[in-house]
């Protein structure tokens, strides 16, 4: 019996249990360990109304699922029903599964602001209905959405034709994937860049898709980002602001929301909501569209962007950036001035400073001056504007900067016992965080970063402590044991690379599958999945190769073989990758593969027991023919389903068929061997290999499931999913699975191709890790190739 008769090491479940627990702790850190929601809800003063804008017949026929709306409330909505518009147009684009009604927070607050100004200026907020499409999971309609938005912009501008102060451009606010669609407008051949001069995105993953589940999604990202990088000079007149949600947004991590560094350095701005002045709050993926503090900052910026002469958003890019910096980066606590004078010198020996007391949610203002920069000053005069019934206190403290500055490693965790306000400043990106502590209290500030430090930037994060001079407080740095540091490292790896975990899990399963085929060659028996995973799924088999292909000298070899860029090299260029990441992900993937495999097998055996109790199936009759007329009809029917409707539907149907086949085999396991004149060992071997194949195929189904959900959701508009990311693969898989579910190990053991089929999973696992981290849709292709070799072993 050799290897097949071995036993599982006693320590293996504990080791893999620890890995799985570490993964769950990391997921818990991402999903739950963040600050409480400090955003206030926005409420409408009057009932919100959405006026549907009639589109040209040609546009309506081409895009039957999409619509354009104008937002309004009360009398304002009534006045706009005749579409005699005189305001400034703003177009809101919802994101993945987003509703056009999400525009109401922006529209309502802008309306209240306009009322305060007696409608001297006002905005008309339009919104696009994308039918709540799941474009973050299926990228086949992103190009269609982009073209529809182009048509909407032309329709909107026509509404203002022949009006006084008619706009020539539209400002766009895009939430989530809506922001990416807005950026994609610039890639259209017939789009005029002057049609938009301001773009504000909310929680938009600009850098890469969160889950790259199909080719259309990754190709769309590549086209958009490449266009913005290559045409940065031509896009200087477009001002872009990207606002990320911070740690509360676990759907789109803030690092993905930062605009590519090479594009429009002087006309693009990326910030985290926790760093926005007068907001100072992290937002989750949905609350970013209704967070009152953030919406107020956005609306204030909109009104400060108005040119008094044209009564539209200013055409001056420098002023637009100045306004955005004022409201989203460094707010001095006063109304925006185009040419502010921070200091006024009197007689050469006096400095006068004027400022408001308003500092986010409390009356607290800090001014830091380096006296050595003003050697000629003899007096400093602080002018405070009069306030109604408000008292204030002025505290002055003189100290040397070196005596009040302590450098701490950025990866550590800080713990403080103190009062007042603490601000963690990250100098290379706008991702500061502010903590307000009460008396008495103990506050803990985590120094986890959203964006990696650039290689040419030597600055360090700074923690500013603003506390009253009569307070007693203690600042301490938590001592990190090695294991605790490992936990923090794992948490950040999961935060940045959780989307790649399925690739590592499948890679471990594929290695185990290859090990089972090897035991079939060496012993004639098939080993248990859990036992073979412990023996075969070793990181040293794949990680050294992955580490080698990242080096620059390997680039020439890769180019000579016409291979694409490895994913690790791309991630390394983004400063979020180092060799230890891949090793940790592989180990975490091993733990997940082990315990999910145990759970999968136990679940099938439980269902088979229930099946046996409830249905009492008859003894199965073994059909030695792999091809029968009935099976050929099933193949043809499912191939037709794949071609005419949705490939993922055919894959799901054949999966269910395979699942029921395995369940029936499990129920007849005690008796089938005798009735079919085969050995008990042969039956058990076949079931073991079928369970592993079904386990692999489960991941294929999961990775193709988003396109199936999208197709079902849009079935009323089109029976055929077009484009379909898995149509061709589905046809191949239907044929493969129909044969494999009726095969046995006795047919495979005598095959001349078995040795090749057993060796192929290792290089496929390496290739999967090299090219599948940022392209999850490639994973089913590697598995399909391995299963195809198994089918050939049944035939040859």
């Amino acid at each position: 019996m050799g290897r097949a008769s071995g036993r599982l090491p006693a320590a293996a479940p504990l080791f893999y249990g620890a890995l799985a627990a570490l993964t769950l702790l990391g997921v818990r850190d991402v999903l739950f360990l963040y600050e409480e929601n400090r955003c206030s809800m926005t409420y409408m003063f009057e009932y919100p109304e959405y006026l549907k804008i009639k589109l040209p017949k040609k546009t309506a026929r081409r895009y039957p699922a999409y619509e354009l709306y104008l937002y309004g409330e009360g009398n304002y909505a009534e006045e706009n029903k005749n579409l005699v518009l005189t305001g400034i147009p703003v177009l809101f684009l919802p994101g993945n599964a987003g509703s056009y009604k999400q525009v109401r927070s922006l529209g309502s607050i802008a309306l209240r602001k306009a009322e305060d100004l007696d409608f001297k200026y006002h905005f008309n907020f339009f919104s696009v209905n994308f039918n709540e499409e799941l474009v973050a999971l299926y990228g086949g309609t992103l190009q269609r959405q982009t073209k529809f938005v182009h048509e909407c912009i032309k329709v909107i501008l026509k509404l203002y034709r022949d009006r006084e102060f008619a706009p020539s451009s539209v400002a766009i606010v895009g939430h989530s994937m809506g922001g990416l669609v807005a950026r994609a407008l610039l890639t259209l051949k017939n789009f005029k860049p002057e049609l938009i001069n301001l773009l504000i995105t909310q929680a938009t993953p600009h850098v890469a898709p969160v889950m790259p589940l199909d080719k259309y999604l990754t190709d769309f990202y590549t086209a958009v980002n490449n266009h913005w990088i290559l045409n940065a000079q031509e896009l200087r007149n477009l001002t872009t602001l990207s606002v990320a949600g911070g740690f509360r947004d676990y759907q789109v991590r803030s690092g993905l929301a930062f605009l590519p560094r090479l594009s429009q350095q002087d006309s693009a701005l990326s910030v985290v909501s926790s760093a926005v002045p007068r907001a100072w709050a992290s937002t989750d993926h949905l609350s970013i569209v209704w967070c009152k503090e953030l919406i107020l900052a956005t609306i204030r910026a909109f009104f400060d962007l108005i040119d008094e002469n044209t009564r539209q958003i200013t055409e001056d890019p420098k002023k637009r950036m100045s306004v955005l910096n004022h409201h989203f980066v460094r707010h001095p606590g006063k109304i925006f001035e185009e040419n502010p004078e921070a200091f006024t010198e009197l007689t050469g020996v006096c400095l006068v400073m004027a400022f408001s007391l308003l500092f986010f949610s409390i009356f607290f203002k800090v001014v830091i001056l380096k006296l050595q920069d003003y050697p000629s000053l003899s007096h400093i005069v602080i002018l405070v504007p009069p306030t109604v019934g408000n008292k204030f206190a002025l505290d002055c403290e003189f100290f040397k900067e070196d005596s009040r500055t302590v450098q701490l490693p950025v990866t550590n965790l800080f713990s403080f016992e103190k009062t007042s306000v603490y601000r963690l400043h990250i100098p290379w990106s706008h991702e500061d965080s502010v903590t307000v502590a009460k008396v008495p209290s103990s506050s803990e500030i985590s120094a986890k970063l959203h964006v990696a430090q650039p290689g040419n930037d030597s600055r360090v994060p700074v923690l500013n402590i603003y506390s009253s001079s009569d307070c007693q407080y203690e600042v301490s740095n938590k001592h990190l044991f090695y294991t605790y540091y490992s936990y923090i490292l794992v948490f950040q790896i999961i935060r940045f690379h959780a989307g790649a975990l399925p690739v590592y899990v499948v890679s471990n399963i594929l290695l185990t599958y290859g090990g089972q085929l090897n035991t079939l060659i060496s012993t004639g028996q098939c080993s248990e999945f859990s036992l073979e995973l412990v023996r075969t799924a070793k990181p040293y088999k794949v990680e050294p190769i992955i580490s080698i292909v990242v080096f620059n000298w390997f680039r020439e070899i890769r180019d000579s073989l016409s291979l694409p860029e490895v994913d690790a090299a791309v991630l390394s260029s983004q400063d979020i990758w180092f060799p230890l990441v891949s090793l940790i992900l592989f180990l975490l993937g091993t733990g997940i593969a082990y315990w999910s495999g145990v759970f999968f097998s136990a679940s099938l055996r439980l269902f088979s027991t229930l099946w046996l109790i409830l249905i009492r199936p008859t003894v199965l009759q073994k059909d030695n023919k792999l091809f029968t007329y009935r099976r050929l009809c099933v193949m043809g029917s499912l191939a037709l389903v794949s071609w005419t409707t949705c490939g993922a539907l055919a894959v799901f149907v054949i999966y269910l068929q395979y699942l029921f086949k395995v369940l029936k085999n499990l129920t007849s396991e005690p008796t089938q061997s005798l009735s079919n004149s085969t050995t008990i060992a042969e039956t058990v071997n076949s079931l073991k290999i079928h369970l592993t194949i079904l386990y692999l195929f489960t991941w294929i189904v999961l990775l193709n499931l988003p396109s199936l959900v999208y197709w079902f959701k849009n079935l009323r508009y089109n029976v055929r999913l077009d484009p379909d990311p898995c149509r061709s693969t589905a046809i191949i898989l239907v044929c493969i699975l129909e044969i494999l579910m009726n095969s046995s190990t006795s047919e495979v053991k005598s095959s001349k191709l078995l040795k090749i089929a057993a060796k192929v999973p290792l290089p496929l696992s390496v290739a999967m890790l090299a090219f599948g981290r940022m392209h999850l849709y490639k994973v089913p292709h590697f598995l399909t190739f391995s299963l195809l070799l198994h089918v050939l072993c049944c035939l040859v």
Side-chain angles (χ1 to χ4, degrees), residues 101-326:
K101 295 182 180 181
Q102 289 173 318
V103 72
R104 62 183 177 268
S105 294
L106 284 166
S108 183
I109 290 183
L111 180 58
R112 303 284 84 80
K113 178 75 171 177
E115 288 178 347
D116 293 340
L117 299 175
D118 293 327
F119 282 93
K120 179 182 179 181
Y121 310 113
H122 70 280
F123 289 86
N124 302 128
F125 276 85
F126 298 85
S127 184
V128 173
N129 179 17
F130 284 136
N131 193 33
E132 300 183 8
E133 291 180 334
L134 302 173
V135 287
L137 303 177
Y138 169 75
T141 58
L142 283 170
Q143 194 68 21
R144 189 182 309 161
Q145 286 190 1
T146 305
K147 293 179 179 179
F148 178 73
V149 172
H150 185 198
E151 297 299 323
C152 288
I153 292 175
K154 292 188 287 186
V155 170
I156 290 171
L157 292 177
K158 283 182 180 179
L159 296 175
Y160 296 86
R161 192 167 48 189
D162 302 328
R163 302 280 193 275
E164 187 180 8
F165 305 112
S168 59
S169 61
V170 175
I172 296 181
V173 178
H175 172 239
S176 189
M177 294 298 289
L180 188 70
V181 169
R183 289 180 61 213
L185 287 169
L186 282 304
T187 66
L188 299 179
K189 293 182 180 180
N190 57 343
F191 183 80
K192 299 177 181 179
E194 59 269 20
L195 291 180
I196 55 173
N197 59 10
L198 176 66
L199 170 60
I200 298 178
T201 65
Q202 302 171 324
T204 296
H206 291 293
V207 177
V210 177
M211 294 292 287
L213 293 173
D214 65 57
K215 186 176 185 294
Y216 312 114
L217 191 59
T218 55
D219 287 351
F220 189 82
Y221 264 89
T222 301
V224 172
N225 286 332
N226 286 347
H227 182 87
W228 277 58
I229 291 173
L230 297 176
N231 300 276
Q233 295 300 320
E234 300 177 9
L235 302 177
R236 294 174 69 90
N237 289 327
L238 172 61
T239 303
T240 308
L241 168 67
S242 174
V243 182
F247 291 118
R248 284 189 61 84
D249 189 351
Y250 55 82
Q251 296 184 47
V252 176
R253 65 175 179 85
S254 296
L256 291 179
F258 276 65
L259 291 162
R261 293 172 182 169
L262 296 179
S263 67
Q264 298 176 280
Q265 292 289 346
D266 56 349
S267 60
L269 181 64
S270 300
V271 300
V272 179
S273 62
S274 59
V276 175
R278 306 175 74 177
W280 310 110
S282 176
T283 61
D284 59 55
H285 197 63
L286 291 180
S287 69
I288 197 169
V289 301
W290 56 255
C291 178
K292 183 178 180 180
E293 289 76 8
L294 192 58
I295 298 299
L296 284 172
T298 305
I299 296 303
R300 292 188 194 108
F302 268 124
F303 276 88
D304 283 342
L305 285 166
I306 299 174
D307 188 328
E308 292 185 0
N309 297 321
T310 63
R311 298 200 176 185
Q312 297 292 325
I313 290 179
T314 178
E315 295 295 329
D316 184 0
K318 292 184 178 179
K319 181 179 179 181
R320 292 198 297 263
M321 284 302 298
S322 179
V323 170
L324 294 180
N325 274 284
H326 174 88

Side-chain angles (χ1 to χ4, degrees), residues 4-20:
S5 61
R7 292 183 178 180
L8 188 68
L14 294 177
F15 176 70
Y16 294 126
L19 291 176

Side-chain angles (χ1 to χ4, degrees), residues 337-644:
E337 295 176 345
E338 193 165 353
N339 297 306
E341 294 184 5
F343 302 101
T344 302
E345 293 190 5
L346 299 177
T347 68
V349 294
C350 183
L351 182 68
V352 178
M353 297 179 295
F355 56 85
S356 168
L357 290 178
L358 184 60
F359 183 74
F360 45 89
S361 61
I362 61 174
F363 289 98
F364 193 92
K365 183 70 179 181
V366 176
V367 176
I368 299 176
L369 286 178
K370 293 185 178 180
L371 297 182
Q372 61 265 32
D373 295 339
Y374 306 96
S376 62
L377 294 181
S378 61
H379 296 78
I380 296 177
V381 179
I382 300 178
L383 175 62
V384 180
T387 56
V388 181
N390 289 331
K391 296 182 179 180
F392 63 90
L394 179 63
D395 288 331
C396 296
E397 187 176 9
F398 297 89
F399 58 85
K400 292 182 180 180
E401 184 179 5
D402 294 341
S403 65
R404 299 300 177 95
T405 303
V406 178
Q407 290 193 6
L408 296 172
V410 72
T411 53
N412 287 359
L413 205 66
F414 310 119
S415 179
F416 305 96
E417 292 183 4
K418 55 196 179 298
T419 61
S420 301
V421 181
Y422 320 116
R423 174 174 173 260
L424 180 64
H425 173 61
I426 310 300
W428 57 81
S429 64
H430 303 297
E431 54 176 279
D432 297 3
S433 59
V434 174
T435 301
V436 180
K438 299 180 180 179
V439 181
S441 67
S442 176
S443 300
E444 186 175 275
I445 299 177
S446 176
K448 293 180 289 189
L449 300 177
H450 295 292
V451 179
Q453 182 178 18
N456 57 353
D457 196 324
S458 59
R459 294 174 294 176
V460 296
V462 177
L463 179 67
N464 296 319
I465 303 175
Y466 303 115
S467 182
S468 178
S469 58
D470 59 353
C471 286
Q472 293 183 354
Y473 55 91
E474 178 184 350
V475 182
S476 61
N477 177 25
K478 269 192 176 179
H479 178 68
L480 295 179
F481 296 98
Y482 178 76
T483 53
Y484 187 76
Y485 180 82
S486 300
Y487 290 162
I488 299 299
L489 179 63
V490 170
F491 296 163
Q492 281 293 78
I493 287 177
I494 291 179
R495 184 181 303 277
F496 278 77
H497 302 285
L501 269 176
V503 182
Y504 285 89
V505 175
V506 175
S507 177
N508 276 276
I509 300 172
L510 190 58
L511 288 173
T512 306
Y513 166 70
Q516 287 180 312
L517 294 181
N518 274 315
T519 59
L520 201 59
I521 296 173
S522 60
T523 67
Q525 305 294 326
C526 184
S527 58
E528 289 283 352
F529 175 84
S530 57
L531 176 61
E532 198 58 45
L533 184 139
V534 174
R535 290 171 171 168
T536 311
K538 303 295 184 181
Y540 60 78
K541 294 184 178 181
V542 294
E543 285 305 312
I545 303 176
I546 298 299
S547 300
I548 290 173
V549 298
V550 178
F551 292 112
N552 291 330
W553 58 264
F554 187 79
R555 186 183 300 273
E556 297 181 1
I557 301 176
R558 192 193 68 244
D559 293 340
S560 63
L561 297 175
S562 299
L563 294 175
E565 182 78 271
V566 293
D567 292 348
V570 177
L571 295 171
S572 180
S573 66
Q574 298 174 3
D575 299 321
I576 59 173
W577 189 263
F578 53 94
L580 188 60
V581 173
S582 185
L583 176 61
I584 293 176
L585 286 174
F586 187 92
L587 291 175
L588 297 180
T590 307
I592 296 173
Y594 177 88
W595 285 107
S596 59
V598 171
F599 176 78
F600 182 76
S601 177
S603 299
L604 289 183
R605 294 186 182 277
L606 176 61
F607 285 129
S608 67
T609 303
L610 294 176
W611 181 287
L612 183 63
I613 295 173
L614 297 176
I615 300 180
R616 295 186 178 275
T618 57
V619 176
L620 294 177
Q621 297 297 321
K622 173 69 175 178
D623 191 344
N624 294 323
K625 295 182 180 180
L626 291 177
F627 293 99
T628 63
Y629 179 75
R630 176 183 173 278
R631 291 169 190 166
L632 291 175
C633 289
V634 171
M635 291 182 194
S637 300
L638 290 180
L640 184 63
V641 168
S642 176
W643 188 260
T644 57

Side-chain angles (χ1 to χ4, degrees), residues 640-658:
L640 184 63
V641 168
S642 176
W643 188 260
T644 57
T645 58
C646 174
L649 176 62
V651 170
F652 186 68
V653 171
I654 196 69
Y655 173 76
L656 292 179
Q657 185 182 350
Y658 199 167

